[in-house]
Amino acid sequence: MNTWDEIRTAYHVARLGTVSGAADALGVHHATVIRHIDALEAQLGVKLFQRHARGYTATEAGVDLLQVAQATDDQFTQLAGRIRGQGSSVTGELVVTSVATLSRALTPVLAGFQAEHPGLVVRFLTDERVFRLEYGEAHVAIRAGSAPDEADNVVQPFLANPFGLYASNGYARKYGVPRDDSELAQHRFVVTDNMDSKAPFYRWLFDRVPPACLTYRASDGRVIRDAMQAGAGIGFLSSYEAALTPELVQIMAPRPEWTAQLWLVTHVDLHRTMKVQSFLTYLKDAAKGWSA
């Protein structure tokens, strides 16, 4: 059972009797406290608290659990103190998550930042799922689309990422290129395998061409790029990645409606640590050259 955060939250709720009191004691948002209690009760299959107008009172099951929590809270406090001490230096692990298509831009940044801080271990995670910052799965997330709205996160606008349509010279010679939007349905496209993708350029394309035109589909942006280079069809690339892929030719220039907004997301508890702030400063400075 990997639920110590939730157990510790429950302990503070029982000790103080209110969600707001526990939130203040733990330095988190009250929504985090409620989420932890709900998750713990769902996992255990019992009610740990009686909710009433004055606050929360532990049930019999809650008392049993909280006796264990109280016995180990001192040890946890000592551990937390040691961990917080690491926040004053740029050492240990730095965990960054983004979509894989940003790898060509982000990897040099991560390598450069690590070179300046030799005691740092970098972990760059590029899974399709959204990593949960409130559970410590990452220090910094770069997300695309609408602004993330998790209550415990600090969200900053990062970059507007322009996308255009590109294809290989081989494709262009074999099939020609569309002169305007009306000819798109005469062509083959390389796209994401997720037909529910929220990416604005894919929503635009899916609304304008029949499914039969989506002839090559993949779940990873790097695979999509490789397929475009192999002549499988026309596909979308960011302007930055297109500049690094000279073997592809532009079919249609970037349009405002294809632009994907990128956001920097950090958890409120880690946002002000030296490690996170140092990396954000370094990343923002490096990203000034991405559009070039």
Side-chain angles (χ1 to χ4, degrees):
M1 180 185 295
N2 186 22
T3 54
W4 173 244
D5 283 344
E6 289 86 349
I7 293 173
R8 185 167 180 251
T9 298
Y11 166 68
H12 282 281
V13 171
R15 183 172 64 86
L16 299 169
T18 64
V19 167
S20 58
D24 290 341
L26 293 167
V28 300
H29 195 275
H30 73 274
T32 299
V33 175
I34 295 172
R35 183 167 59 248
H36 282 186
I37 296 299
D38 290 344
L40 188 58
E41 289 182 334
Q43 182 169 353
L44 295 174
V46 296
K47 284 293 183 184
L48 299 175
F49 294 96
Q50 295 291 341
R51 281 80 163 166
H52 50 75
R54 297 184 303 279
Y56 282 46
T57 301
T59 63
E60 183 176 356
V63 170
D64 289 341
L65 178 68
L66 298 170
Q67 285 176 346
V68 176
Q70 186 170 9
T72 56
D73 187 65
D74 287 345
Q75 294 179 358
F76 186 92
T77 300
Q78 294 172 11
L79 173 63
R82 292 197 299 271
I83 293 174
R84 280 194 296 269
Q86 296 172 6
S88 61
S89 63
V90 185
T91 57
E93 288 189 346
L94 173 68
V95 186
V96 179
T97 176
S98 82
V99 293
T101 50
L102 288 178
S103 175
R104 297 177 86 181
L106 272 178
T107 297
V109 176
L110 291 167
F113 186 69
Q114 186 180 48
E116 291 191 4
H117 304 281
L120 193 68
V121 174
V122 171
R123 296 176 59 208
F124 182 26
L125 310 180
T126 57
D127 200 291
E128 285 296 314
R129 74 179 180 88
V130 176
F131 287 86
R132 301 178 301 173
L133 303 187
E134 69 272 20
Y135 285 95
E137 291 185 337
H139 295 95
V140 178
I142 303 175
R143 296 180 182 166
S146 56
D149 57 1
E150 296 93 340
D152 299 341
N153 291 340
V154 178
V155 179
Q156 304 174 68
F158 181 34
L159 292 173
N161 198 20
F163 278 76
L165 279 171
Y166 297 82
S168 69
N169 280 306
Y171 177 90
R173 286 194 299 269
K174 184 173 182 179
Y175 297 102
V177 297
R179 290 174 295 182
D180 53 39
D181 292 1
S182 67
E183 295 186 358
L184 290 173
Q186 302 171 23
H187 286 268
R188 305 162 68 88
F189 290 89
V190 181
V191 298
T192 178
D193 195 46
N194 178 14
M195 295 296 101
D196 294 322
S197 171
K198 297 298 191 296
F201 45 90
Y202 281 135
R203 299 303 344 140
W204 183 93
L205 182 66
F206 295 166
D207 286 342
R208 285 165 175 78
V209 302
C213 292
L214 310 177
T215 54
Y216 199 107
R217 308 179 190 182
S219 59
D220 189 303
R222 294 164 297 187
V223 178
I224 290 173
R225 183 193 66 226
D226 292 346
M228 292 165 60
Q229 290 176 274
I234 300 171
F236 283 100
L237 277 187
S238 70
S239 296
Y240 179 88
E241 191 167 15
L244 298 177
T245 317
E247 56 270 38
L248 293 177
V249 295
Q250 188 179 88
I251 303 302
M252 289 186 176
R255 301 182 184 181
E257 60 267 35
W258 298 345
T259 297
Q261 176 64 47
L262 299 178
W263 307 87
L264 292 175
V265 188
T266 54
H267 192 269
V268 65
D269 293 344
L270 297 176
H271 179 71
R272 292 296 176 190
T273 62
M274 181 179 293
K275 179 163 54 181
V276 169
Q277 284 297 308
S278 296
F279 176 67
L280 290 177
T281 299
Y282 188 92
L283 172 62
K284 291 174 183 177
D285 185 61
K288 293 175 183 176
W290 287 7
S291 59

Tab-separated table of all heavy atoms in Angstrom, residues 89-136:
chain	number	residue	atom	x	y	z
A	89	SER	N	19.412	23.386	-2.796
A	89	SER	CA	20.511	23.142	-3.723
A	89	SER	C	19.963	22.495	-4.996
A	89	SER	O	18.851	21.978	-5.023
A	89	SER	CB	21.559	22.229	-3.083
A	89	SER	OG	20.989	20.959	-2.796
A	90	VAL	N	20.771	22.530	-6.060
A	90	VAL	CA	20.378	21.923	-7.323
A	90	VAL	C	21.082	20.567	-7.410
A	90	VAL	O	22.078	20.393	-8.131
A	90	VAL	CB	20.723	22.827	-8.516
A	90	VAL	CG1	20.193	22.231	-9.820
A	90	VAL	CG2	20.130	24.221	-8.303
A	91	THR	N	20.577	19.609	-6.659
A	91	THR	CA	21.140	18.257	-6.619
A	91	THR	C	19.988	17.261	-6.596
A	91	THR	O	18.814	17.640	-6.611
A	91	THR	CB	22.012	18.064	-5.366
A	91	THR	OG1	21.219	18.346	-4.186
A	91	THR	CG2	23.226	18.976	-5.384
A	92	GLY	N	20.333	15.984	-6.515
A	92	GLY	CA	19.309	14.944	-6.487
A	92	GLY	C	18.708	14.754	-7.864
A	92	GLY	O	19.394	14.868	-8.881
A	93	GLU	N	17.411	14.468	-7.921
A	93	GLU	CA	16.731	14.227	-9.185
A	93	GLU	C	15.951	15.456	-9.638
A	93	GLU	O	15.363	16.161	-8.821
A	93	GLU	CB	15.753	13.055	-9.067
A	93	GLU	CG	16.404	11.697	-8.973
A	93	GLU	CD	15.388	10.569	-9.086
A	93	GLU	OE1	14.164	10.835	-8.976
A	93	GLU	OE2	15.799	9.415	-9.284
A	94	LEU	N	15.954	15.678	-10.938
A	94	LEU	CA	15.044	16.639	-11.568
A	94	LEU	C	14.203	15.840	-12.555
A	94	LEU	O	14.733	15.291	-13.523
A	94	LEU	CB	15.803	17.738	-12.295
A	94	LEU	CG	14.918	18.687	-13.132
A	94	LEU	CD1	14.030	19.524	-12.218
A	94	LEU	CD2	15.774	19.581	-14.027
A	95	VAL	N	12.895	15.766	-12.314
A	95	VAL	CA	11.995	14.987	-13.150
A	95	VAL	C	11.154	15.954	-13.989
A	95	VAL	O	10.412	16.773	-13.446
A	95	VAL	CB	11.077	14.075	-12.317
A	95	VAL	CG1	10.253	13.176	-13.240
A	95	VAL	CG2	11.907	13.230	-11.342
A	96	VAL	N	11.300	15.865	-15.303
A	96	VAL	CA	10.578	16.730	-16.243
A	96	VAL	C	9.744	15.842	-17.154
A	96	VAL	O	10.218	14.797	-17.625
A	96	VAL	CB	11.559	17.580	-17.071
A	96	VAL	CG1	10.795	18.452	-18.074
A	96	VAL	CG2	12.424	18.445	-16.164
A	97	THR	N	8.517	16.244	-17.413
A	97	THR	CA	7.645	15.473	-18.296
A	97	THR	C	7.087	16.369	-19.395
A	97	THR	O	6.785	17.549	-19.165
A	97	THR	CB	6.501	14.810	-17.510
A	97	THR	OG1	5.624	14.139	-18.407
A	97	THR	CG2	5.695	15.833	-16.735
A	98	SER	N	6.976	15.801	-20.591
A	98	SER	CA	6.357	16.503	-21.720
A	98	SER	C	5.955	15.459	-22.745
A	98	SER	O	6.239	14.271	-22.582
A	98	SER	CB	7.339	17.504	-22.355
A	98	SER	OG	8.217	16.849	-23.243
A	99	VAL	N	5.312	15.911	-23.812
A	99	VAL	CA	5.054	15.002	-24.930
A	99	VAL	C	6.383	14.730	-25.631
A	99	VAL	O	7.292	15.558	-25.635
A	99	VAL	CB	4.035	15.607	-25.918
A	99	VAL	CG1	2.669	15.717	-25.270
A	99	VAL	CG2	4.508	16.972	-26.411
A	100	ALA	N	6.488	13.551	-26.240
A	100	ALA	CA	7.754	13.115	-26.835
A	100	ALA	C	8.197	14.018	-27.976
A	100	ALA	O	9.405	14.133	-28.247
A	100	ALA	CB	7.627	11.673	-27.318
A	101	THR	N	7.265	14.679	-28.653
A	101	THR	CA	7.637	15.510	-29.801
A	101	THR	C	8.486	16.717	-29.398
A	101	THR	O	9.122	17.323	-30.257
A	101	THR	CB	6.380	16.008	-30.539
A	101	THR	OG1	5.469	16.576	-29.595
A	101	THR	CG2	5.704	14.867	-31.280
A	102	LEU	N	8.514	17.062	-28.124
A	102	LEU	CA	9.352	18.171	-27.670
A	102	LEU	C	10.776	17.733	-27.354
A	102	LEU	O	11.606	18.549	-26.966
A	102	LEU	CB	8.734	18.834	-26.434
A	102	LEU	CG	7.479	19.665	-26.656
A	102	LEU	CD1	6.972	20.213	-25.330
A	102	LEU	CD2	7.765	20.814	-27.622
A	103	SER	N	11.059	16.441	-27.519
A	103	SER	CA	12.364	15.920	-27.113
A	103	SER	C	13.524	16.628	-27.814
A	103	SER	O	14.543	16.936	-27.185
A	103	SER	CB	12.433	14.414	-27.389
A	103	SER	OG	13.718	13.917	-27.123
A	104	ARG	N	13.386	16.897	-29.107
A	104	ARG	CA	14.503	17.491	-29.844
A	104	ARG	C	14.816	18.897	-29.349
A	104	ARG	O	15.966	19.348	-29.443
A	104	ARG	CB	14.200	17.501	-31.335
A	104	ARG	CG	14.055	16.105	-31.920
A	104	ARG	CD	13.680	16.135	-33.383
A	104	ARG	NE	14.857	16.255	-34.234
A	104	ARG	CZ	14.793	16.315	-35.571
A	104	ARG	NH1	13.610	16.274	-36.179
A	104	ARG	NH2	15.883	16.421	-36.295
A	105	ALA	N	13.828	19.589	-28.832
A	105	ALA	CA	14.062	20.916	-28.272
A	105	ALA	C	14.495	20.841	-26.812
A	105	ALA	O	15.390	21.576	-26.374
A	105	ALA	CB	12.796	21.765	-28.397
A	106	LEU	N	13.881	19.937	-26.061
A	106	LEU	CA	14.126	19.885	-24.622
A	106	LEU	C	15.418	19.175	-24.239
A	106	LEU	O	16.069	19.557	-23.262
A	106	LEU	CB	12.955	19.181	-23.921
A	106	LEU	CG	11.778	20.040	-23.499
A	106	LEU	CD1	10.700	19.173	-22.865
A	106	LEU	CD2	12.228	21.106	-22.507
A	107	THR	N	15.785	18.147	-24.973
A	107	THR	CA	16.953	17.362	-24.583
A	107	THR	C	18.224	18.209	-24.489
A	107	THR	O	18.971	18.093	-23.508
A	107	THR	CB	17.146	16.174	-25.538
A	107	THR	OG1	15.995	15.313	-25.432
A	107	THR	CG2	18.383	15.375	-25.182
A	108	PRO	N	18.528	19.077	-25.466
A	108	PRO	CA	19.715	19.926	-25.300
A	108	PRO	C	19.626	20.845	-24.081
A	108	PRO	O	20.645	21.136	-23.438
A	108	PRO	CB	19.749	20.744	-26.598
A	108	PRO	CG	18.973	19.937	-27.579
A	108	PRO	CD	17.896	19.273	-26.785
A	109	VAL	N	18.420	21.290	-23.751
A	109	VAL	CA	18.242	22.137	-22.571
A	109	VAL	C	18.539	21.350	-21.299
A	109	VAL	O	19.264	21.816	-20.405
A	109	VAL	CB	16.808	22.710	-22.535
A	109	VAL	CG1	16.588	23.525	-21.259
A	109	VAL	CG2	16.548	23.568	-23.760
A	110	LEU	N	17.983	20.148	-21.213
A	110	LEU	CA	18.213	19.312	-20.038
A	110	LEU	C	19.684	18.944	-19.902
A	110	LEU	O	20.242	18.963	-18.795
A	110	LEU	CB	17.354	18.055	-20.121
A	110	LEU	CG	15.848	18.275	-19.974
A	110	LEU	CD1	15.087	17.018	-20.393
A	110	LEU	CD2	15.499	18.654	-18.546
A	111	ALA	N	20.324	18.609	-21.025
A	111	ALA	CA	21.740	18.265	-20.979
A	111	ALA	C	22.584	19.464	-20.556
A	111	ALA	O	23.537	19.328	-19.775
A	111	ALA	CB	22.192	17.747	-22.344
A	112	GLY	N	22.240	20.648	-21.065
A	112	GLY	CA	22.979	21.854	-20.688
A	112	GLY	C	22.812	22.198	-19.223
A	112	GLY	O	23.770	22.590	-18.547
A	113	PHE	N	21.590	22.040	-18.719
A	113	PHE	CA	21.336	22.345	-17.306
A	113	PHE	C	22.083	21.362	-16.417
A	113	PHE	O	22.673	21.749	-15.402
A	113	PHE	CB	19.827	22.279	-17.029
A	113	PHE	CG	19.437	22.721	-15.652
A	113	PHE	CD1	19.561	24.043	-15.278
A	113	PHE	CD2	18.931	21.815	-14.727
A	113	PHE	CE1	19.193	24.469	-14.005
A	113	PHE	CE2	18.568	22.215	-13.459
A	113	PHE	CZ	18.697	23.552	-13.101
A	114	GLN	N	22.089	20.097	-16.803
A	114	GLN	CA	22.815	19.088	-16.025
A	114	GLN	C	24.322	19.368	-16.041
A	114	GLN	O	25.006	19.165	-15.030
A	114	GLN	CB	22.530	17.698	-16.571
A	114	GLN	CG	23.133	16.572	-15.729
A	114	GLN	CD	22.819	15.221	-16.311
A	114	GLN	OE1	22.985	15.002	-17.506
A	114	GLN	NE2	22.364	14.296	-15.480
A	115	ALA	N	24.835	19.837	-17.149
A	115	ALA	CA	26.261	20.144	-17.234
A	115	ALA	C	26.651	21.250	-16.259
A	115	ALA	O	27.763	21.261	-15.726
A	115	ALA	CB	26.628	20.545	-18.669
A	116	GLU	N	25.740	22.174	-16.011
A	116	GLU	CA	26.004	23.245	-15.049
A	116	GLU	C	25.860	22.769	-13.605
A	116	GLU	O	26.347	23.417	-12.689
A	116	GLU	CB	25.062	24.425	-15.299
A	116	GLU	CG	25.348	25.167	-16.590
A	116	GLU	CD	24.587	26.478	-16.675
A	116	GLU	OE1	23.898	26.839	-15.681
A	116	GLU	OE2	24.677	27.145	-17.726
A	117	HIS	N	25.158	21.637	-13.413
A	117	HIS	CA	24.912	21.109	-12.063
A	117	HIS	C	25.251	19.620	-12.059
A	117	HIS	O	24.362	18.767	-12.155
A	117	HIS	CB	23.459	21.346	-11.658
A	117	HIS	CG	23.044	22.783	-11.741
A	117	HIS	ND1	23.368	23.719	-10.785
A	117	HIS	CD2	22.346	23.463	-12.696
A	117	HIS	CE1	22.882	24.894	-11.125
A	117	HIS	NE2	22.256	24.773	-12.279
A	118	PRO	N	26.542	19.280	-11.951
A	118	PRO	CA	26.975	17.878	-12.085
A	118	PRO	C	26.363	16.924	-11.067
A	118	PRO	O	26.329	15.723	-11.298
A	118	PRO	CB	28.497	17.973	-11.901
A	118	PRO	CG	28.841	19.390	-12.224
A	118	PRO	CD	27.662	20.203	-11.777
A	119	GLY	N	25.877	17.458	-9.936
A	119	GLY	CA	25.276	16.582	-8.930
A	119	GLY	C	23.835	16.223	-9.217
A	119	GLY	O	23.181	15.566	-8.397
A	120	LEU	N	23.323	16.613	-10.382
A	120	LEU	CA	21.918	16.429	-10.720
A	120	LEU	C	21.712	15.181	-11.565
A	120	LEU	O	22.479	14.905	-12.485
A	120	LEU	CB	21.414	17.650	-11.492
A	120	LEU	CG	19.910	17.815	-11.680
A	120	LEU	CD1	19.232	18.095	-10.355
A	120	LEU	CD2	19.632	18.955	-12.658
A	121	VAL	N	20.669	14.425	-11.244
A	121	VAL	CA	20.229	13.311	-12.076
A	121	VAL	C	18.952	13.745	-12.797
A	121	VAL	O	17.959	14.097	-12.147
A	121	VAL	CB	19.957	12.042	-11.248
A	121	VAL	CG1	19.353	10.946	-12.122
A	121	VAL	CG2	21.236	11.550	-10.576
A	122	VAL	N	18.978	13.760	-14.124
A	122	VAL	CA	17.819	14.190	-14.922
A	122	VAL	C	16.999	12.974	-15.325
A	122	VAL	O	17.535	11.976	-15.809
A	122	VAL	CB	18.278	14.962	-16.177
A	122	VAL	CG1	17.100	15.213	-17.117
A	122	VAL	CG2	18.923	16.277	-15.781
A	123	ARG	N	15.679	13.081	-15.139
A	123	ARG	CA	14.744	12.070	-15.630
A	123	ARG	C	13.725	12.783	-16.513
A	123	ARG	O	13.004	13.653	-16.052
A	123	ARG	CB	14.041	11.359	-14.465
A	123	ARG	CG	14.982	10.554	-13.579
A	123	ARG	CD	14.249	9.957	-12.388
A	123	ARG	NE	13.162	9.084	-12.841
A	123	ARG	CZ	12.053	8.857	-12.126
A	123	ARG	NH1	11.876	9.446	-10.955
A	123	ARG	NH2	11.129	8.046	-12.593
A	124	PHE	N	13.714	12.411	-17.795
A	124	PHE	CA	12.820	13.031	-18.774
A	124	PHE	C	11.776	11.995	-19.172
A	124	PHE	O	12.086	11.006	-19.843
A	124	PHE	CB	13.632	13.498	-19.979
A	124	PHE	CG	12.835	14.209	-21.041
A	124	PHE	CD1	11.648	14.872	-20.739
A	124	PHE	CD2	13.277	14.234	-22.357
A	124	PHE	CE1	10.926	15.528	-21.711
A	124	PHE	CE2	12.573	14.881	-23.348
A	124	PHE	CZ	11.393	15.528	-23.020
A	125	LEU	N	10.531	12.197	-18.748
A	125	LEU	CA	9.453	11.232	-18.930
A	125	LEU	C	8.513	11.720	-20.030
A	125	LEU	O	8.027	12.853	-19.978
A	125	LEU	CB	8.690	11.040	-17.615
A	125	LEU	CG	9.552	10.766	-16.371
A	125	LEU	CD1	8.680	10.595	-15.141
A	125	LEU	CD2	10.430	9.537	-16.577
A	126	THR	N	8.232	10.838	-21.008
A	126	THR	CA	7.451	11.257	-22.174
A	126	THR	C	6.276	10.324	-22.437
A	126	THR	O	5.945	10.031	-23.582
A	126	THR	CB	8.341	11.315	-23.427
A	126	THR	OG1	8.956	10.017	-23.644
A	126	THR	CG2	9.420	12.352	-23.286
A	127	ASP	N	5.659	9.854	-21.391
A	127	ASP	CA	4.483	8.999	-21.544
A	127	ASP	C	3.287	9.830	-22.002
A	127	ASP	O	3.230	11.043	-21.778
A	127	ASP	CB	4.168	8.323	-20.199
A	127	ASP	CG	3.309	7.084	-20.355
A	127	ASP	OD1	2.123	7.255	-20.709
A	127	ASP	OD2	3.812	5.977	-20.126
A	128	GLU	N	2.311	9.164	-22.647
A	128	GLU	CA	1.114	9.862	-23.088
A	128	GLU	C	0.230	10.287	-21.914
A	128	GLU	O	-0.526	11.253	-22.005
A	128	GLU	CB	0.298	8.972	-24.032
A	128	GLU	CG	0.889	8.847	-25.429
A	128	GLU	CD	0.913	10.167	-26.180
A	128	GLU	OE1	-0.106	10.887	-26.173
A	128	GLU	OE2	1.958	10.485	-26.759
A	129	ARG	N	0.322	9.573	-20.804
A	129	ARG	CA	-0.543	9.903	-19.669
A	129	ARG	C	-0.071	11.187	-19.001
A	129	ARG	O	1.096	11.607	-19.141
A	129	ARG	CB	-0.564	8.762	-18.647
A	129	ARG	CG	0.713	8.624	-17.805
A	129	ARG	CD	0.569	7.479	-16.821
A	129	ARG	NE	1.740	7.297	-15.995
A	129	ARG	CZ	1.941	7.924	-14.842
A	129	ARG	NH1	1.055	8.815	-14.395
A	129	ARG	NH2	3.034	7.680	-14.126
A	130	VAL	N	-0.955	11.836	-18.259
A	130	VAL	CA	-0.634	13.053	-17.525
A	130	VAL	C	-0.048	12.658	-16.164
A	130	VAL	O	-0.717	12.018	-15.358
A	130	VAL	CB	-1.880	13.935	-17.342
A	130	VAL	CG1	-1.550	15.148	-16.478
A	130	VAL	CG2	-2.417	14.377	-18.704
A	131	PHE	N	1.207	13.017	-15.931
A	131	PHE	CA	1.832	12.701	-14.651
A	131	PHE	C	1.251	13.590	-13.554
A	131	PHE	O	0.983	14.775	-13.763
A	131	PHE	CB	3.346	12.885	-14.746
A	131	PHE	CG	4.026	11.813	-15.544
A	131	PHE	CD1	4.131	11.921	-16.925
A	131	PHE	CD2	4.533	10.687	-14.934
A	131	PHE	CE1	4.743	10.925	-17.676
A	131	PHE	CE2	5.146	9.687	-15.663
A	131	PHE	CZ	5.257	9.802	-17.036
A	132	ARG	N	1.076	12.997	-12.371
A	132	ARG	CA	0.413	13.687	-11.257
A	132	ARG	C	1.451	14.387	-10.398
A	132	ARG	O	2.158	13.768	-9.605
A	132	ARG	CB	-0.403	12.687	-10.440
A	132	ARG	CG	-1.482	11.977	-11.256
A	132	ARG	CD	-2.228	10.965	-10.411
A	132	ARG	NE	-1.334	9.951	-9.871
A	132	ARG	CZ	-1.696	9.021	-8.997
A	132	ARG	NH1	-2.939	8.986	-8.567
A	132	ARG	NH2	-0.831	8.141	-8.553
A	133	LEU	N	1.525	15.702	-10.537
A	133	LEU	CA	2.509	16.473	-9.778
A	133	LEU	C	2.208	16.438	-8.290
A	133	LEU	O	3.125	16.511	-7.463
A	133	LEU	CB	2.535	17.921	-10.277
A	133	LEU	CG	2.824	18.117	-11.769
A	133	LEU	CD1	2.995	19.594	-12.073
A	133	LEU	CD2	4.037	17.336	-12.207
A	134	GLU	N	0.924	16.322	-7.930
A	134	GLU	CA	0.566	16.317	-6.508
A	134	GLU	C	1.046	15.053	-5.805
A	134	GLU	O	1.115	15.013	-4.576
A	134	GLU	CB	-0.953	16.483	-6.332
A	134	GLU	CG	-1.801	15.304	-6.784
A	134	GLU	CD	-2.187	15.375	-8.246
A	134	GLU	OE1	-1.507	16.110	-9.000
A	134	GLU	OE2	-3.149	14.688	-8.644
A	135	TYR	N	1.383	14.036	-6.569
A	135	TYR	CA	1.927	12.799	-5.997
A	135	TYR	C	3.430	12.693	-6.208
A	135	TYR	O	4.024	11.630	-6.028
A	135	TYR	CB	1.219	11.575	-6.589
A	135	TYR	CG	-0.164	11.377	-6.031
A	135	TYR	CD1	-1.277	11.885	-6.703
A	135	TYR	CD2	-0.373	10.707	-4.829
A	135	TYR	CE1	-2.558	11.730	-6.192
A	135	TYR	CE2	-1.650	10.545	-4.319
A	135	TYR	CZ	-2.730	11.052	-4.998
A	135	TYR	OH	-4.003	10.902	-4.489
A	136	GLY	N	4.054	13.795	-6.606
A	136	GLY	CA	5.502	13.820	-6.742
A	136	GLY	C	6.039	13.076	-7.942
A	136	GLY	O	7.221	12.723	-7.972
